[in-house]
Amino acid sequence: MSTQLSGLARRLVADALLSEEQALHSLVQSRQEKLPLVSYLVREKKARAADLALRVAEEFGDPVLDLAALSPAHLPKGLVDPKLVEKHRMVPIFRRGSRLFVATSDPTNLQALEDFRFASGLNIETVIVEDDKLQALIERLTSEAEGGAFKDLDDSLDNIGVASDGAAADDGGDTAADDAPVVRFVNKLLLDAIKSGSSDLHFEPYEKVYRVRFRQDGILREIANPPINIAGKIAARLKVMAQLDISERRVPQDGRIKLKVSKTRAIDFRVNTCPTLFGEKIVLRILDPDSAKLGIDALGYEAEQKQLYLDALEKPQGMILVTGPTGSGKTVSLYTGVNILNTPERNISTAEDPVEINLEGINQVNVNTKTGMDFSAALKAFLRQDPDVILVGEIRDLETASIAVKAAQTGHLVLSTLHTNSAPETLTRLRNMGVPSFNIATSVILIIAQRLARRLCEHCKQPTAVPESSLRQMGFSDADIATGFTVFAPTGCDKCNNGYKGRVGIYEVVKITDAIARIIMDEGNSIEIADQCRKEGFNDLSRSGLVKVMQGVTSLEEVNRVTSG
């Protein structure tokens, strides 16, 4: 028998439930899918759940129980969080003194046993049950728990009702009751997105399927495939929640959903609809006010970069520009700076399209081009209201740029964003927009170019060997290599997404020094400016990413993904 087989897999081969080849293949597949071996075998119908339960019990010396003999109503309540039940696929079935007996099909999950012991304060004893019956019980318990949660959630929504009769009739529904499952389904997705730390939700209709995806740590992942025949009801429900016109399907619409997740915390969703070939695609962006209050230390700046940003924020006038592609964290960087400046002594005004996060003590204006309230109009109004700090959501045209530059030259601190790839390119972009070089050199004081890279999971990241020649090719210096740093790679576990959990900023922070200002006034290009930045010791994005690799925060592959090009 293969030496690669051990424990339960070896037992199943010995008892002729599986061939050696089947056992090896199943082990590899179950590990890749992060499933217990028993669950994988039952799902793929390679063995009967009852036979597997008997073999597991014999192999590990645990008793076997038929879950059909238990009534869910008599199970102990409140001993562990339902999330733990769903995560670890273990169910408390009864308590005897200081011992809690839990039903499981996989007694090898020691972390699950420890989590249950910690949550309950009791000693944990395992009882083996059939995997398919266990799954059915967990789904029933989860459904019951969510039913109560959704009722509370529906009661706590601001200005949101269940899908109206108009919405139901519009999409072919007969009664309000017909929409209740859709209401619960949509609410569950919103809650799941918040819990998982997602940034966006995509609801996408196609000819034969309907797809729901979450963007988690910058990567889109498919979450659900509801029946295509309820696509209209899902769209109607979301549009009602966002207070949009449910009868209008021909043009895009923008709206907002406010969701109270507790008495003290509310989450906003920015909603956009877009007509596609097979219906309306709806995208929700999660706007969490807490993300703007993390503090500058949580964003991932290196010590010298953080100090450059703080020093610039202390200046009485000048322009701070944050650049990068959509989804690179520019808004959080700007709001973090504004939060630092937000004191009773300062008058702060912002013009945004739209206002993403409401901040108390700051005058925030929604740009609306239909009414003539564009960025330049908002800036002109701000300058007549005795401002100290002005935030412009984005510099898109020469008029906005010119007003922002003049404001920065006349005693105001201006913060804004541009869609450019690096700090040097930002300076040449302003010049290409028509801003005179002299005005750029005398107004811009700091540029932050940034990307968001996925953080390696602290629980499962593994050291990986990389030849020195490859490290040099990637940009590491001999001095870096001499430090003997360790390169880590993603592995994947039940606490992360494919080896990554959360994101960290990678920054290029450039202070406009006298030497850089002279290059700007001499009409120097971005290459000349970049060379001077290196001479003055400002790390570019690639170098900042390599520093994060040396610190063990992220992987080489991730740095290449977000900084290449």
Side-chain angles (χ1 to χ4, degrees), residues 192-261:
D192 287 348
I194 295 169
K195 292 174 188 173
S196 65
S198 301
S199 60
D200 302 85
L201 298 82
H202 292 240
F203 294 82
E204 303 167 312
Y206 296 96
E207 184 176 11
K208 296 180 180 178
V209 296
Y210 192 87
R211 179 171 70 174
V212 180
R213 293 189 291 173
F214 290 177
R215 188 176 293 280
Q216 298 172 333
D217 297 336
I219 305 295
L220 278 171
R221 291 185 172 84
E222 191 167 312
I223 299 300
N225 294 106
I228 187 64
N229 62 351
I230 66 167
K233 289 183 180 293
I234 292 174
R237 170 61 180 168
L238 289 167
K239 289 164 77 173
V240 167
M241 294 173 78
Q243 299 181 335
L244 299 177
D245 183 354
I246 61 172
S247 65
E248 180 56 79
R249 301 191 187 95
R250 299 163 298 174
V251 297
Q253 297 187 69
D254 290 294
R256 206 174 181 101
I257 295 171
K258 191 176 188 68
L259 192 66
K260 283 186 177 177
V261 293

Side-chain angles (χ1 to χ4, degrees), residues 505-531:
I506 293 177
Y507 303 93
E508 176 184 20
V509 182
V510 174
K511 176 184 176 182
I512 305 304
T513 62
D514 292 341
I516 295 174
R518 278 194 295 272
I519 296 174
I520 297 169
M521 288 190 283
D522 290 340
E523 307 287 335
N525 58 36
S526 59
I527 296 174
E528 294 171 315
I529 296 170
D531 287 340

Side-chain angles (χ1 to χ4, degrees), residues 65-372:
L65 176 70
D66 183 3
L67 279 179
L70 282 182
S71 168
H74 296 147
L75 296 177
K77 302 290 193 302
L79 290 176
V80 296
D81 191 324
K83 294 176 187 174
L84 280 182
V85 171
E86 191 171 9
K87 175 183 177 182
H88 292 311
R89 302 185 79 255
M90 287 186 178
V91 177
I93 51 175
F94 61 92
R95 176 181 178 177
R96 182 178 296 160
S98 62
R99 292 188 296 168
L100 178 64
F101 292 82
V102 297
T104 181
S105 61
D106 177 30
T108 64
N109 190 343
L110 301 181
Q111 183 60 52
L113 299 177
E114 179 60 24
D115 288 350
F116 270 61
R117 186 195 66 76
F118 181 81
S120 65
L122 303 170
N123 296 320
I124 305 300
E125 302 278 354
T126 53
V127 176
I128 306 303
V129 297
E130 295 167 44
D131 189 82
D132 51 357
K133 291 181 180 178
L134 176 65
Q135 182 61 32
L137 176 61
I138 290 173
E139 288 176 359
R140 176 174 176 178
L141 296 175
T142 303
S143 175
E144 290 174 356
E146 286 172 348
F150 288 140
K151 182 181 185 303
D152 295 339
L153 181 63
D154 281 340
D155 292 342
S156 69
L157 296 178
D158 273 0
N159 302 317
I160 296 173
V162 296
S164 64
D165 290 338
D170 189 64
D171 287 277
D174 296 321
T175 65
D178 292 334
D179 287 336
V182 174
V183 171
R184 289 196 298 272
F185 176 70
V186 170
N187 286 347
K188 181 180 187 305
L189 287 173
L190 298 186
L191 281 177
D192 287 348
I194 295 169
K195 292 174 188 173
S196 65
S198 301
S199 60
D200 302 85
L201 298 82
H202 292 240
F203 294 82
E204 303 167 312
Y206 296 96
E207 184 176 11
K208 296 180 180 178
V209 296
Y210 192 87
R211 179 171 70 174
V212 180
R213 293 189 291 173
F214 290 177
R215 188 176 293 280
Q216 298 172 333
D217 297 336
I219 305 295
L220 278 171
R221 291 185 172 84
E222 191 167 312
I223 299 300
N225 294 106
I228 187 64
N229 62 351
I230 66 167
K233 289 183 180 293
I234 292 174
R237 170 61 180 168
L238 289 167
K239 289 164 77 173
V240 167
M241 294 173 78
Q243 299 181 335
L244 299 177
D245 183 354
I246 61 172
S247 65
E248 180 56 79
R249 301 191 187 95
R250 299 163 298 174
V251 297
Q253 297 187 69
D254 290 294
R256 206 174 181 101
I257 295 171
K258 191 176 188 68
L259 192 66
K260 283 186 177 177
V261 293
S262 70
K263 291 182 179 179
T264 59
R265 186 183 178 211
I267 303 291
D268 282 354
F269 295 81
R270 191 179 72 203
V271 183
N272 175 265
T273 72
C274 182
T276 66
L277 194 59
F278 299 106
E280 287 180 287
K281 174 176 178 176
I282 302 180
V283 177
L284 281 66
R285 164 66 60 88
I286 299 177
L287 309 172
D288 185 355
D290 290 344
S291 66
K293 301 172 185 176
L294 292 173
I296 195 169
D297 291 325
L299 300 185
Y301 287 94
E302 301 303 323
E304 62 275 13
Q305 294 176 332
K306 180 180 79 170
Q307 196 56 51
L308 286 172
Y309 191 15
L310 293 175
D311 290 345
L313 291 171
E314 288 298 317
K315 301 285 185 185
Q317 68 179 51
M319 183 184 293
I320 299 172
L321 294 173
V322 181
T323 78
T326 300
S328 60
K330 298 188 299 294
T331 299
V332 173
S333 285
L334 282 180
Y335 276 139
T336 300
V338 168
N339 257 331
I340 292 171
L341 296 170
N342 189 12
T343 63
E345 295 79 27
R346 291 189 178 96
N347 175 20
I348 303 176
S349 297
T350 77
E352 303 167 68
D353 182 21
V355 173
E356 293 198 3
I357 298 173
N358 299 325
L359 298 176
E360 190 172 345
I362 294 173
N363 310 292
Q364 296 174 276
V365 173
N366 258 325
V367 167
N368 187 343
T369 53
K370 292 180 182 177
T371 63

Side-chain angles (χ1 to χ4, degrees), residues 347 349 363 380-388:
N347 175 20
S349 297
N363 310 292
K380 290 174 184 176
F382 291 165
L383 291 174
R384 293 192 289 270
Q385 295 207 332
D386 185 31
D388 296 302

Side-chain angles (χ1 to χ4, degrees), residues 392-420:
V392 186
E394 184 183 349
I395 294 178
R396 295 176 179 170
D397 52 54
L398 176 58
E399 185 179 10
T400 304
S402 299
I403 299 171
V405 164
K406 289 173 184 174
Q409 291 173 327
T410 55
H412 309 95
L413 186 63
V414 179
L415 293 84
S416 190
T417 71
L418 272 175
H419 286 280
T420 56

